[in-house]
Every structure is written in structure tokens, then in C-alpha cells.
Amino acid sequence: MDLLNQLLAIDPNYIIIGLLVLFFTLEQIMESSFKFKNRVNHLFQNILFQIVLVTLNIICFTVVVLSIEWLNEHEMGLLYFIELPFWVKLFLSVALYDITTYWIHRASHKIPLLWRLHRVHHSDTTMDSSTVFRFHPLELILIYQTGNIITAALFGTDMFALALYYFTLYIFFFFEHTNLNFPKWIDKTLGLIFVMPNHHRVHHQQEQFYTDSNFADIFIVWDRLFGTFKEMPVEKMKYGLKEFKGKEKQSFLYLMKSPFLNIKRIETEK
Ligand SMILES: [Zn+2]
Ligand SMILES: [Zn+2]
């Protein structure tokens, strides 16, 4: 418990920088299936998203913390009505934050207004660890943080569980997006419960049939349970969205304004 407290007390930005340095270096020195040029420019464009997010989060996160603490003080949500051991409650809370994220993510592929924000993440044609940062800040702040508050209101999850959720989420995020080869056996073992890189790579396919699958971030069981789990051979993978091809459309500035532009989806044939 002490160890967990100490881990969660570390500034998340340090953990994120540490994970980026680790995975980015490994991608540079180890064998990967999807080699691409100009990794530094790709990193630079993606880091700009994180800088905007961290800046906006100074205000936004205060709102989230105050809202969730208020809900907890008033003992709102399902978990306040059930007597459970601390660790069970903590695990359940992390799983509940994750399942809400699954449904919001799934809705973001169905609802055109949400897709305008979410397609920024899918626009990356050359995926590596820095793709973790490629999210429109408004999506993470307005949509996903609202989801966290709703989770706390419905289920009574608290800030400690949310901190643990984000700690776990960022480790999985880097693991899922990294451009490294992993042994196939992990898909058949850990991949029965958790999201593996090959699962999330399917989600980044150009072809919508595959893009609309594997929505989970930590527990792949949500996709298996709700019928959105798909697999495909790694050799056939092609990342990104056709409508975002080209240097200008991969730039930070274009992507930041892209939710406000009418961009038609270009479907890829099977
Ligand atoms: Zn998606
Ligand atoms: Zn992704």
C-alpha cells in the first residue's frame, strides 16, 4: 500500500516523459515491423499536443478533482452501498473507469460530432510511442473527463482509483502504440484479458471494418464481451486515415483545426 501511495504521488508528467524516453529509444535501437523516416519531426508534432493538454489540464483537472471529491463526500454511487474489501473496491473502480472509456471510445466512432475530435488520434499514418500524445486536447478534456465524473457519480469511484487508472492507462498506452516486435505468445496469454499491441494496431487500420473494433484501453475483455474484438495479420496492417495523408495534414496546426473542418471519410476497399 505504501509503495502504491509513493508511486501515485509521483508527478504523472515525469512518468509520461520516462515512458516516452524508454519506448522511443527502444524503437530506435530494436527491430520493428513498421520502419519510417523522420521520426524526430513526427515526435515533435505529437509532443505539441501534449504541451497544449498539460497547459489546459492545469484548470481542467482542478474541476475534475473538485467534482469527484464532492460526489465522494456526499457518498454518491453504487460502491457506497456495497461492503467490499479495499483492494476489491480499488480493482473494481479501475475497471469501471476503463469500461466507461470503452463506451465513450465506441460512441466516438459512431457519433459524427465526437468522431471529428477522435479522428485526430486515428490520423497518424506512422505509428510509434509518440502517437500516445496525438489526441485533440478538447476530446481528452471535454469528453473523457466528463466520462470520469459520470463514472464517479454512478459508481462511487474516487480520485485514488482514478490516479491508479491513469498510471496503468499510460503504461498500456505506450505499450499499445509502440513500434516494437513482441513475441506472438503474449497475444494468446496476456491478450485474453489485457489489450496487447497487436490488438490496438488493428484499431488503427485504415479500413473502417477494423477501425471500428478493439476499443478497449486496458482490458480487452470489454471488446470480447461486447462483440467488438477483431484480429488481423500484422503483415497486412496499414495505419491512419486516407483523408489525412500528406505532410500538411499530418501537422499539429492542421490537426488542431481539423475538428472544425468538413473532412469526408475516404473508405479503403477490403
Ligand atoms: Zn478510436
Ligand atoms: Zn491508439
Side-chain angles (χ1 to χ4, degrees):
M1 184 66 199
D2 268 359
L3 179 71
L4 190 58
N5 270 325
Q6 281 167 9
L7 272 178
L8 298 184
I10 304 170
D11 185 332
N13 291 314
Y14 293 144
I15 294 167
I16 290 168
I17 292 166
L19 286 168
L20 177 70
V21 171
L22 172 72
F23 280 102
F24 197 85
T25 312
L26 286 176
E27 285 163 337
Q28 201 61 31
I29 57 178
M30 286 174 78
E31 199 53 44
S32 64
S33 339
F34 313 96
K35 289 222 177 303
F36 64 93
K37 290 179 187 150
N38 243 332
R39 287 194 74 212
V40 175
N41 181 50
H42 179 254
L43 171 73
F44 175 69
Q45 300 298 326
N46 285 345
I47 277 184
L48 291 174
F49 286 99
Q50 188 67 7
I51 293 171
V52 177
L53 178 71
V54 170
T55 315
L56 292 174
N57 248 345
I58 297 168
I59 306 161
C60 163
F61 211 64
T62 315
V63 177
V64 176
V65 172
L66 290 176
S67 309
I68 294 182
E69 282 181 352
W70 185 89
L71 289 163
N72 293 164
E73 269 165 34
H74 292 79
E75 301 197 345
M76 284 171 78
L78 194 67
L79 290 175
Y80 283 99
F81 300 97
I82 317 166
E83 216 33 69
L84 287 170
F86 173 79
W87 291 105
V88 176
K89 203 169 170 179
L90 186 61
F91 173 79
L92 265 180
S93 301
V94 170
L96 287 165
Y97 281 122
D98 197 51
I99 199 173
T100 308
T101 305
Y102 165 88
W103 282 107
I104 295 176
H105 187 184
R106 195 167 162 175
S108 301
H109 281 238
K110 271 268 170 285
I111 302 167
L113 209 65
L114 296 183
W115 175 248
R116 279 173 177 254
L117 291 167
H118 183 57
R119 67 188 173 194
V120 172
H121 181 61
H122 283 270
S123 66
D124 210 338
T125 47
T126 48
M127 211 164 66
D128 72 1
S129 50
S130 71
T131 304
V132 167
F133 299 146
R134 195 183 286 206
F135 278 96
H136 201 285
L138 290 181
E139 179 183 27
L140 297 186
I141 285 175
L142 296 179
I143 314 298
Y144 284 100
Q145 293 303 352
T146 306
N148 290 333
I149 296 170
I150 291 171
T151 309
L154 290 176
F155 303 111
T157 53
D158 60 18
M159 276 311 299
F160 187 74
L162 187 63
L164 179 61
Y165 170 64
Y166 272 109
F167 181 84
T168 317
L169 182 68
Y170 268 99
I171 294 171
F172 269 87
F173 254 16
F174 277 98
F175 177 54
E176 285 157 23
H177 291 94
T178 193
N179 190 4
L180 290 169
N181 289 332
F182 291 94
K184 282 203 170 113
W185 60 261
I186 63 161
D187 290 350
K188 306 273 172 232
T189 51
L190 292 173
L192 293 173
I193 299 169
F194 299 105
V195 180
M196 293 294 115
N198 282 341
H199 297 154
H200 197 68
R201 284 167 181 163
V202 176
H203 184 72
H204 277 268
Q205 290 313 293
Q206 281 184 6
E207 201 183 313
Q208 193 164 5
F209 174 77
Y210 289 109
T211 319
D212 292 346
S213 72
N214 302 4
F215 297 104
D217 286 324
I218 297 176
F219 297 105
I220 197 69
V221 281
W222 309 137
D223 284 289
R224 294 185 187 275
L225 214 62
F226 300 120
T228 49
F229 179 71
K230 281 177 196 152
E231 286 177 292
M232 76 178 289
V234 180
E235 317 77 70
K236 288 189 177 172
M237 290 188 177
K238 255 189 176 168
Y239 299 138
L241 294 169
K242 276 195 164 177
E243 55 273 34
F244 283 89
K245 264 193 172 168
K247 201 173 170 221
E248 189 240 335
K249 290 178 179 171
Q250 289 290 313
S251 72
F252 166 75
L253 281 177
Y254 180 83
L255 291 166
M256 277 298 276
K257 64 183 179 191
S258 65
F260 310 100
L261 304 173
N262 282 322
I263 304 166
K264 227 174 128 37
R265 177 115 196 212
I266 306 171
E267 186 48 282
T268 311
E269 289 96 55
K270 277 189 195 172

